[in-house]
Amino acid sequence: MSAPVIVALTARGAALAERLRERIPRAEIHGYAPRVSSADSRFDDASEHLRALFGANRPIVGVCAAGILIRALAPLIDDKRAEPPVVALAEDGSVAVPLLGGHRGANTLARDIAAALSGVAAITTASDLSHGIALDTPPPGWRIADPEALKTVAAGLIAGDQVSVVVEAADANWLGQIARGSSADAPLTICITHRDMAADARTLVYHPPVLALGLGCERDTAPEELHDLARSALAANGLSVAAVACVVSLDRKEDEPAIHALAAEFGVPARFFSVEQLAAEEPRLVNPSTVVRRAVGIGGVAEAAALAAAGAEARLIVAKTRSARATAAVALSPAAIDARCVGRRRGALTVVGIGPGGAAWRTAEAIAAIVEADEVVGYGLYLDLVADLIAGKRRHESPLGAEEARVKTALVRAAEGRNVALISSGDAGIYGMAALAVELVERGDDPAWARIGFRVAPGVSALQAAAARIGAPLGHDFCAISLSDLLTPWEAIEQRLAAAAAGDFVTALYNPGSQQRRWQFGRAIEILGRQRPATTPCVVARNLGRRDEQVAVTSIAQLKDADIDMLTLVLVGSSRTRRVRRAAGDLVYTPRGYTEKNQAGKRVNRS
């Protein structure tokens, strides 16, 4: 379970949260900004913040009334097997109530809180009350073969029936008094095994994560081939897919789609080892290969990876098995394998657009990407804008002008196996960091950068935000041009301005000016104004989504006098753009031609 977030809505609740944090490792305190002056993270909208935490699968301890949590999270409640723990804690610490995720750690968390504060844990789960455990929530990585058998055995236990506990793999320590009271001739059975065995109505089968599936394959092996090889290797030896803790291979295979597809199918992590780590397993290999050694520097990948993952006490129970382009091997560990501690995961970089400023413009995908990241990289101002989402994370910040160094930092950290979020304002793909990140991957300064996971989480762009604030100036064809000539020659920028003017596009001007760069804006307005009426509506938007936001409507004739800087976006209308004057505030729009179409239709009908 990841570190819980203690959410305090009042100063009294924050004081209790500070007491509780001393007893809960790595816990974060998030406070309601109008009432909590100091916290790891502060927020303005409690319901929105709670939903963001829940959506990011963060355990929540709400120091508040249970109803507040219920009303905030009700729209998101769907699958009890997937929801994070949610506990309501009375402000005086007297009662901790697990509301959601009882079988995913909420009951345990409530008990820990109650013990720390000398309060009471209000547990209502029947199996927890009768035996102190939830049978449908075994330790992480364990799986139940037949949920129907679970109902029968759980009901029998609650009724007082005895159980025979059979252990063929790992151990039964987590079953506590149930294991201690095991009876060989009991009417119910709990079997803990790595074998593929069928359950019956009175036999509950658990598969602990004790198998490591080692894989080797040629580049671009078909996922179907790897799937068939792995399935057949397990089935031929009577092993259960549900007992596989992880699929493992050489780090050069971190970007092999077939391996990740198989891991996803099995519902387990894919983990990777360096050549040096696998070379240490050479004495234990059953089928070393000189061909593989010449190719990658070690005598075998599948067997070595399986043994490395399963540990020093493991034994190889399926030696290297081949298909046309792949190999598989399986090692059995005497104890449950914690896949998080095995080898290295494939690192990932998500370039995140956070919108122009305010939290309301963050997309759900962007929020999840930031919350799930191990580390964040970005310009200091942009990181400050998402401070409520990155509390406790390692933060790498750099000044304006250090964009390439910033992206390299993100790529390096991701290539080392971390999940990294690179923060960009607006939309990351519109004058943001996404293009530079892809460019550096293509440039290939480090081959490992090409193997990381890579995605872009889009955000609301400044041009969208500015347009939305004033109506619909982008209602018809438009283009965007940056006036910064730091990376693009001014001659090229002038050509694009002239083309936009000739094409009569609504034009969004990014980076219109700075303290050192002023004349370019005037030149741009001169070029665009040559083919548009002097009254053409224009929009000047500054600090969008922030407290000192300013959005003003002017004309192209007056635009040269506008106060602009690097935080300003300017929308220059086309010859068709209109300004609608209203007492309630002017609107600007660019019609697509519906009125003309309707009028033409009426003329046709009259004729």
Side-chain angles (χ1 to χ4, degrees), residues 349-355 377-379 382 400 402-404 406-407 422-440 454-463 480-482 487 510-511 566 569:
L349 173 61
T350 303
V351 192
V352 183
I354 61 171
V377 181
Y379 171 47
Y382 301 156
L400 282 175
E403 286 77 13
E404 184 166 331
R406 187 182 311 149
V407 176
L422 175 60
I423 308 300
S424 188
S425 68
D427 181 273
I430 300 177
Y431 302 117
M433 293 290 97
L436 178 56
V438 176
E439 181 179 347
L440 291 179
F454 182 90
R455 68 185 175 104
V456 177
V460 176
S461 68
L463 65 87
I481 299 174
S482 171
L487 300 174
Y510 278 76
N511 305 314
M566 292 293 285
L569 179 110

Coordinates of all heavy atoms in Angstrom, one line a residue, residues 349-355 377-379 382 400 402-404 406-407 422-440 454-463 480-482 487 510-511 566 569:
L349 N 8.6 8.0 -19.0 CA 8.5 9.5 -19.0 C 7.1 9.9 -19.5 O 6.8 9.5 -20.6 CB 9.6 10.1 -19.8 CG 9.5 11.6 -20.0 CD1 9.6 12.4 -18.7 CD2 10.6 12.1 -21.0
T350 N 6.4 10.7 -18.7 CA 5.2 11.3 -19.2 C 5.4 12.8 -19.2 O 5.7 13.4 -18.2 CB 4.0 11.0 -18.2 OG1 3.9 9.6 -18.1 CG2 2.7 11.5 -18.8
V351 N 5.2 13.4 -20.4 CA 5.3 14.8 -20.6 C 3.9 15.4 -20.3 O 3.0 15.0 -21.1 CB 5.8 15.2 -21.9 CG1 6.2 16.7 -21.9 CG2 7.1 14.4 -22.3
V352 N 3.7 16.2 -19.3 CA 2.4 16.5 -18.8 C 2.1 18.0 -19.1 O 2.8 18.9 -18.6 CB 2.2 16.2 -17.3 CG1 0.8 16.5 -16.8 CG2 2.6 14.8 -17.0
G353 N 1.0 18.2 -19.8 CA 0.5 19.6 -19.9 C -0.5 19.9 -18.8 O -1.5 19.2 -18.6
I354 N -0.2 20.9 -18.0 CA -1.0 21.2 -16.8 C -2.0 22.4 -17.1 O -2.7 22.9 -16.2 CB -0.2 21.6 -15.6 CG1 0.7 22.8 -15.9 CG2 0.7 20.4 -15.2 CD1 1.4 23.3 -14.6
G355 N -2.2 22.8 -18.4 CA -3.0 23.9 -18.6 C -2.4 25.3 -18.4 O -1.2 25.3 -17.9
V377 N 9.9 16.9 -12.9 CA 10.9 17.7 -13.5 C 10.2 18.9 -14.2 O 9.2 18.7 -14.8 CB 11.8 17.0 -14.5 CG1 12.9 17.9 -15.1 CG2 12.4 15.7 -13.9
G378 N 10.8 20.1 -14.0 CA 10.1 21.2 -14.7 C 10.7 22.6 -14.3 O 11.6 22.7 -13.4
Y379 N 10.3 23.6 -14.9 CA 10.5 25.0 -14.6 C 9.9 25.3 -13.2 O 8.8 24.8 -13.0 CB 10.0 25.9 -15.7 CG 10.0 27.4 -15.4 CD1 11.1 28.0 -14.9 CD2 8.9 28.1 -15.7 CE1 11.1 29.4 -14.7 CE2 8.9 29.5 -15.5 CZ 10.0 30.1 -15.0 OH 10.0 31.5 -14.7
Y382 N 6.2 26.3 -12.9 CA 5.2 25.3 -13.3 C 5.1 24.3 -12.2 O 4.0 23.8 -11.9 CB 5.6 24.7 -14.6 CG 5.7 25.6 -15.7 CD1 6.5 25.3 -16.9 CD2 5.0 26.9 -15.7 CE1 6.6 26.2 -17.9 CE2 5.1 27.7 -16.8 CZ 5.9 27.4 -17.9 OH 6.0 28.3 -18.9
L400 N 14.2 29.2 -16.7 CA 13.9 29.4 -18.2 C 15.3 29.4 -18.9 O 16.3 29.9 -18.5 CB 13.2 30.7 -18.3 CG 11.7 30.7 -18.0 CD1 11.1 32.1 -18.1 CD2 10.9 29.7 -18.9
A402 N 16.9 26.7 -19.8 CA 17.6 25.5 -19.6 C 16.7 24.3 -20.0 O 16.8 23.2 -19.4 CB 18.0 25.3 -18.1
E403 N 16.0 24.5 -21.1 CA 15.0 23.4 -21.5 C 15.7 22.1 -21.8 O 15.2 21.0 -21.4 CB 14.2 23.9 -22.7 CG 13.1 25.0 -22.3 CD 13.7 26.4 -22.1 OE1 14.9 26.6 -22.5 OE2 13.0 27.2 -21.6
E404 N 16.8 22.1 -22.6 CA 17.4 20.9 -23.0 C 18.0 20.1 -21.8 O 17.8 18.9 -21.6 CB 18.5 21.1 -24.0 CG 19.1 19.8 -24.5 CD 20.0 20.0 -25.8 OE1 19.7 20.9 -26.5 OE2 20.9 19.2 -26.0
R406 N 16.8 20.3 -18.8 CA 15.7 19.9 -18.1 C 15.1 18.5 -18.6 O 14.9 17.6 -17.9 CB 14.6 20.9 -18.1 CG 13.4 20.7 -17.3 CD 12.3 21.8 -17.4 NE 13.0 23.1 -17.3 CZ 12.6 24.2 -18.0 NH1 11.5 24.1 -18.8 NH2 13.2 25.3 -17.8
V407 N 15.0 18.5 -19.9 CA 14.5 17.3 -20.5 C 15.5 16.1 -20.4 O 15.1 15.0 -20.2 CB 14.1 17.5 -22.0 CG1 13.7 16.2 -22.7 CG2 13.1 18.6 -22.1
L422 N 7.4 15.1 -16.6 CA 8.0 16.3 -17.0 C 6.9 17.3 -17.2 O 6.0 17.1 -18.1 CB 8.8 16.1 -18.3 CG 9.4 17.3 -19.0 CD1 10.4 18.0 -18.1 CD2 10.0 16.9 -20.3
I423 N 6.9 18.4 -16.4 CA 5.8 19.3 -16.4 C 5.9 20.4 -17.4 O 7.0 21.1 -17.4 CB 5.6 19.9 -15.0 CG1 5.6 18.8 -13.9 CG2 4.4 20.8 -14.9 CD1 4.4 17.8 -14.1
S424 N 4.9 20.7 -18.2 CA 4.9 21.7 -19.1 C 3.6 22.5 -19.0 O 2.6 21.9 -18.7 CB 5.0 21.1 -20.6 OG 5.2 22.1 -21.5
S425 N 3.6 23.8 -19.2 CA 2.4 24.6 -19.0 C 1.6 24.4 -20.3 O 2.1 23.9 -21.3 CB 2.7 26.1 -18.8 OG 3.3 26.6 -20.0
G426 N 0.3 24.8 -20.2 CA -0.6 24.6 -21.4 C -0.7 23.2 -21.8 O -0.8 22.3 -21.0
D427 N -0.6 23.0 -23.1 CA -0.5 21.7 -23.7 C 1.0 21.4 -24.0 O 1.7 22.2 -24.7 CB -1.3 21.6 -25.0 CG -1.2 20.2 -25.6 OD1 -0.3 19.9 -26.4 OD2 -2.1 19.4 -25.3
A428 N 1.5 20.2 -23.5 CA 2.9 19.9 -23.7 C 3.4 19.8 -25.1 O 4.6 19.9 -25.4 CB 3.2 18.6 -22.9
G429 N 2.4 19.5 -26.0 CA 2.8 19.4 -27.4 C 2.7 20.7 -28.2 O 3.0 20.7 -29.4
I430 N 2.2 21.8 -27.6 CA 2.1 23.0 -28.3 C 3.1 24.0 -27.7 O 2.8 24.6 -26.6 CB 0.7 23.6 -28.2 CG1 -0.3 22.6 -28.8 CG2 0.6 24.9 -28.9 CD1 -1.8 23.0 -28.7
Y431 N 4.2 24.2 -28.3 CA 5.3 25.0 -27.8 C 5.8 24.5 -26.4 O 6.3 25.3 -25.6 CB 4.9 26.5 -27.7 CG 4.5 27.0 -29.1 CD1 3.3 27.5 -29.3 CD2 5.4 27.1 -30.1 CE1 2.9 28.1 -30.5 CE2 5.1 27.6 -31.4 CZ 3.8 28.1 -31.5 OH 3.4 28.6 -32.8
G432 N 5.6 23.2 -26.1 CA 5.9 22.7 -24.8 C 7.2 21.7 -24.9 O 7.9 21.7 -25.9
M433 N 7.3 20.9 -23.9 CA 8.5 20.1 -23.8 C 8.4 18.8 -24.6 O 9.4 18.1 -24.7 CB 8.8 19.8 -22.3 CG 9.2 21.0 -21.5 SD 10.8 21.6 -21.9 CE 10.4 23.0 -23.0
A434 N 7.2 18.4 -25.1 CA 7.1 17.1 -25.7 C 8.0 17.0 -27.0 O 8.6 15.9 -27.2 CB 5.6 16.9 -26.1
A435 N 8.0 18.0 -27.8 CA 8.8 17.9 -29.0 C 10.3 17.8 -28.7 O 11.0 17.0 -29.4 CB 8.5 19.1 -29.9
L436 N 10.7 18.5 -27.8 CA 12.2 18.4 -27.4 C 12.5 17.0 -26.9 O 13.6 16.5 -27.2 CB 12.5 19.5 -26.4 CG 14.0 19.5 -25.9 CD1 15.0 19.6 -27.1 CD2 14.2 20.7 -24.9
A437 N 11.6 16.5 -26.1 CA 11.9 15.1 -25.5 C 12.0 14.1 -26.6 O 12.9 13.3 -26.6 CB 10.7 14.8 -24.5
V438 N 11.1 14.2 -27.6 CA 11.2 13.2 -28.7 C 12.4 13.5 -29.5 O 13.1 12.5 -30.0 CB 9.9 13.3 -29.6 CG1 10.0 12.4 -30.8 CG2 8.7 13.0 -28.8
E439 N 12.8 14.7 -29.7 CA 14.0 15.1 -30.5 C 15.2 14.5 -29.8 O 16.1 13.9 -30.5 CB 14.1 16.6 -30.6 CG 15.3 17.1 -31.4 CD 15.4 18.6 -31.5 OE1 14.4 19.3 -31.1 OE2 16.5 19.1 -31.9
L440 N 15.3 14.6 -28.5 CA 16.5 14.0 -27.8 C 16.5 12.5 -27.8 O 17.6 11.9 -27.9 CB 16.5 14.5 -26.3 CG 16.8 16.0 -26.2 CD1 16.7 16.4 -24.7 CD2 18.1 16.4 -26.8
F454 N 7.1 6.0 -23.0 CA 6.9 7.5 -23.3 C 5.5 7.8 -23.7 O 4.9 7.1 -24.5 CB 7.9 7.9 -24.4 CG 7.8 9.3 -24.8 CD1 8.7 10.2 -24.2 CD2 6.9 9.8 -25.7 CE1 8.7 11.6 -24.5 CE2 6.9 11.2 -26.0 CZ 7.7 12.0 -25.4
R455 N 4.9 8.8 -23.1 CA 3.6 9.3 -23.5 C 3.5 10.7 -23.2 O 4.3 11.3 -22.4 CB 2.5 8.5 -22.8 CG 2.3 8.7 -21.3 CD 1.3 7.7 -20.8 NE 1.2 7.8 -19.3 CZ 0.2 8.5 -18.7 NH1 -0.7 9.1 -19.3 NH2 0.2 8.5 -17.3
V456 N 2.5 11.4 -23.8 CA 2.2 12.8 -23.5 C 0.8 12.9 -23.0 O -0.2 12.3 -23.6 CB 2.3 13.6 -24.8 CG1 1.9 15.0 -24.6 CG2 3.7 13.5 -25.4
A457 N 0.6 13.5 -21.9 CA -0.7 13.8 -21.3 C -1.1 15.2 -21.7 O -0.5 16.2 -21.2 CB -0.7 13.7 -19.8
P458 N -2.1 15.3 -22.6 CA -2.4 16.7 -23.1 C -3.0 17.6 -22.1 O -3.6 17.1 -21.1 CB -3.4 16.4 -24.3 CG -4.0 15.1 -23.9 CD -2.9 14.3 -23.2
G459 N -2.9 18.9 -22.3 CA -3.5 19.8 -21.4 C -4.2 20.9 -22.2 O -4.2 20.9 -23.4
V460 N -4.9 21.7 -21.5 CA -5.6 22.8 -22.1 C -4.6 23.8 -22.6 O -3.8 24.3 -21.8 CB -6.6 23.5 -21.2 CG1 -7.3 24.7 -21.8 CG2 -7.7 22.5 -20.8
S461 N -4.6 24.2 -23.9 CA -3.6 25.1 -24.4 C -4.0 26.6 -24.0 O -5.2 26.8 -23.8 CB -3.4 25.0 -25.9 OG -4.6 25.4 -26.5
A462 N -3.0 27.5 -24.1 CA -3.4 28.9 -23.8 C -4.3 29.4 -24.8 O -5.2 30.3 -24.5 CB -2.1 29.7 -23.8
L463 N -4.2 29.0 -26.1 CA -5.1 29.5 -27.1 C -6.5 29.1 -26.9 O -7.5 29.8 -27.1 CB -4.6 29.2 -28.5 CG -4.5 27.8 -29.0 CD1 -5.8 27.3 -29.6 CD2 -3.4 27.6 -30.0
A480 N -1.3 29.0 -35.2 CA -0.5 29.6 -34.0 C 0.9 29.8 -34.5 O 1.5 29.0 -35.2 CB -0.5 28.6 -32.9
I481 N 1.5 31.0 -34.1 CA 2.8 31.3 -34.5 C 3.5 31.9 -33.2 O 3.0 32.7 -32.5 CB 2.8 32.4 -35.6 CG1 2.2 31.9 -36.8 CG2 4.3 32.9 -35.9 CD1 2.0 32.9 -38.0
S482 N 4.7 31.4 -33.0 CA 5.5 32.0 -31.9 C 6.4 33.1 -32.4 O 7.0 32.9 -33.5 CB 6.4 30.9 -31.2 OG 7.3 31.5 -30.3
L487 N 15.0 30.3 -31.3 CA 15.2 29.1 -32.0 C 14.8 29.1 -33.4 O 15.2 28.2 -34.2 CB 14.4 28.0 -31.2 CG 14.8 27.8 -29.8 CD1 13.9 26.7 -29.1 CD2 16.3 27.3 -29.6
Y510 N 2.0 33.4 -29.8 CA 2.7 33.0 -28.6 C 4.0 33.8 -28.4 O 4.5 34.2 -29.4 CB 3.0 31.5 -28.6 CG 1.9 30.6 -28.3 CD1 0.8 30.3 -29.2 CD2 1.8 29.9 -27.0 CE1 -0.2 29.5 -28.8 CE2 0.8 29.1 -26.7 CZ -0.2 28.8 -27.6 OH -1.3 28.0 -27.3
N511 N 4.4 33.9 -27.2 CA 5.7 34.6 -26.9 C 5.8 35.9 -27.6 O 6.7 36.2 -28.3 CB 6.9 33.7 -27.3 CG 6.8 32.3 -26.7 OD1 6.6 32.2 -25.5 ND2 7.1 31.3 -27.5
M566 N 5.9 37.6 -21.8 CA 6.0 36.2 -22.1 C 4.8 35.4 -21.5 O 4.6 34.3 -21.8 CB 7.3 35.6 -21.6 CG 8.5 36.1 -22.4 SD 8.5 35.5 -24.1 CE 9.0 33.8 -23.9
L569 N -0.8 35.9 -24.2 CA -1.2 35.3 -25.5 C -2.1 36.3 -26.2 O -3.0 36.8 -25.6 CB -1.9 33.9 -25.3 CG -2.3 33.3 -26.7 CD1 -1.5 32.1 -27.0 CD2 -3.8 33.0 -26.8

